[in-house]
Amino acid sequence: LNNDPRVRSESSISTHLVKELSKPQTQDQDSQADVFNIVYEMHRVAPSILTTVIGTLTNFLEVSEVDQRKLVVQLLGKLFIKPKFARQFGPCYRKWLERAKDKDTSIRLLMVNHLLLLILPNTAAESDGFEVSQEAQLALKGCLDDPSAEVRLPTIHGICDTAFQHPTAVSLDTWLAVGIKISCRQRQERKDALTGLVQTFYHHYMAKRLKKVQAGGDDVGLDVVQETLEAAESFDDKEENDRARFEWIPSRVFEAASFKDDTELLSRIWQAMDDMLLGSDLS
């Protein structure tokens, strides 16, 4: 581009990029990847070029070639991590979100990774970020019911890991959807959902409520226990939110104890009950 005498302004750069993107889709894959990389690097110094090229980029989301779809999913994912672009180019953003249901498993898995970044607090806190994050939450929730375990399991892990680090980043609806996985037919999904929920429950809910009791060890005084019980009966608005987010988890774990088809999982459930009350090394 720098050596092309026709390129003298952002407008001409945009026109040149659109021309390159509009070439037959049978062109060399590496050349196309280079054009996508140029688009990304150029937007960092001249964001206005996106107004011209993003529509053309979005068209690649529906091409038949998997590698081409994957390239543009990656590029748009890197662009939309900035909520201002997701809002500015809302139709393109929503078209990109639809790739969470792409027919190719590797693309759906790639989308899970991008969606997990979009729900992080630093993204949601930006101007226009909340709405963008909420749309990502809906797409991510849908990935929990993906037809492939290759996508469902990383989605469970990603949501639980995010909730453990940033408990309010995961919407209540998405968090409750993870809870439903405790009752699903797939053994590994049940186990992983159970583990993630219990670890987060103890770390963000039980630990701070039992802090004084646990600090007292085996010789903790009854007055400390009584104080802890009384404190559990009174709570402010923040604690009310915590209750809505976490208090349903023990009942889901106890319900899972009725499963008799998997002795190993049943053993894990009994261990999970201890973890909820006493914590574990993983918490």
Side-chain angles (χ1 to χ4, degrees), residues 23 36 45 61 108 115 156 171 196 216 220 238-239 251 276:
K23 287 182 177 180
F36 286 172
V45 294
L61 290 172
R108 300 197 305 274
L115 293 171
I156 293 171
S171 70
V220 62
K238 182 180 183 304
E239 289 175 320
S251 63
M276 283 192 299

Side-chain angles (χ1 to χ4, degrees), residues 47 50-52 54 80 84-94:
L50 291 180
T51 303
T52 304
I54 199 164
F80 291 144
K84 65 178 181 180
F85 292 139
R87 284 298 303 275
Q88 182 179 354
F89 306 108
C92 298
Y93 174 60
R94 283 181 279 279

Side-chain angles (χ1 to χ4, degrees), residues 65-281:
E65 292 80 4
V66 172
D67 288 341
Q68 288 183 326
R69 294 204 307 278
K70 189 178 294 186
L71 283 172
V72 78
V73 163
Q74 289 175 317
L75 172 57
L76 291 176
K78 291 195 295 183
L79 293 175
F80 291 144
I81 196 65
K82 298 178 181 178
K84 65 178 181 180
F85 292 139
R87 284 298 303 275
Q88 182 179 354
F89 306 108
C92 298
Y93 174 60
R94 283 181 279 279
K95 207 167 189 64
W96 174 76
L97 288 176
E98 292 174 4
R99 290 304 97 198
K101 295 183 179 180
D102 193 280
K103 62 183 179 181
D104 182 77
T105 302
S106 65
I107 290 179
R108 300 197 305 274
L109 183 56
L110 181 62
M111 283 298 299
V112 169
N113 295 329
H114 284 298
L115 293 171
L116 287 168
L117 293 176
L118 280 168
I119 70 172
L120 291 176
N122 59 323
T123 300
E126 291 189 31
S127 176
D128 297 327
F130 180 76
E131 185 175 332
V132 169
S133 180
Q134 290 303 298
E135 291 186 78
Q137 293 268 3
L138 289 174
L140 187 61
K141 179 183 174 184
C143 294
L144 288 168
D145 296 318
D146 189 272
S148 172
E150 293 180 43
V151 176
R152 294 193 304 270
L153 284 171
T155 302
I156 293 171
H157 297 163
I159 292 173
C160 289
D161 289 346
T162 300
F164 188 84
Q165 297 295 331
H166 312 282
T168 60
V170 177
S171 70
L172 183 57
D173 283 346
T174 302
W175 196 224
L176 290 170
V178 174
I180 294 174
K181 286 295 177 180
I182 295 180
S183 303
C184 78
R185 294 182 178 182
Q186 300 300 320
R187 176 178 173 274
Q188 192 62 47
E189 290 177 44
R190 282 155 50 175
K191 181 179 178 181
D192 292 355
L194 175 76
T195 301
L197 288 166
V198 167
Q199 290 178 357
T200 304
F201 173 81
Y202 178 80
H203 186 73
H204 290 289
Y205 191 74
M206 285 298 290
K208 61 183 178 182
R209 285 163 174 74
L210 296 178
K211 186 175 181 180
K212 291 182 179 180
V213 173
Q214 292 188 331
D218 293 339
D219 298 324
V220 62
L222 291 177
D223 57 327
V224 176
V225 175
Q226 182 64 35
E227 180 185 344
T228 300
L229 290 173
E230 291 175 354
E233 296 299 321
S234 60
F235 43 88
D236 55 25
D237 290 342
K238 182 180 183 304
E239 289 175 320
E240 178 66 27
N241 292 332
D242 283 350
R243 288 165 70 95
R245 183 171 292 276
F246 296 115
E247 281 201 343
W248 57 271
I249 293 177
S251 63
R252 294 293 295 149
V253 174
F254 294 146
E255 288 171 12
S258 63
F259 300 149
K260 306 297 182 182
D261 60 326
D262 190 329
T263 55
E264 182 180 344
L265 181 62
L266 189 59
S267 175
R268 177 68 189 94
I269 290 170
W270 289 115
Q271 179 61 52
M273 293 180 184
D274 286 342
D275 291 348
M276 283 192 299
L277 296 175
L278 306 174
S280 68
D281 293 338

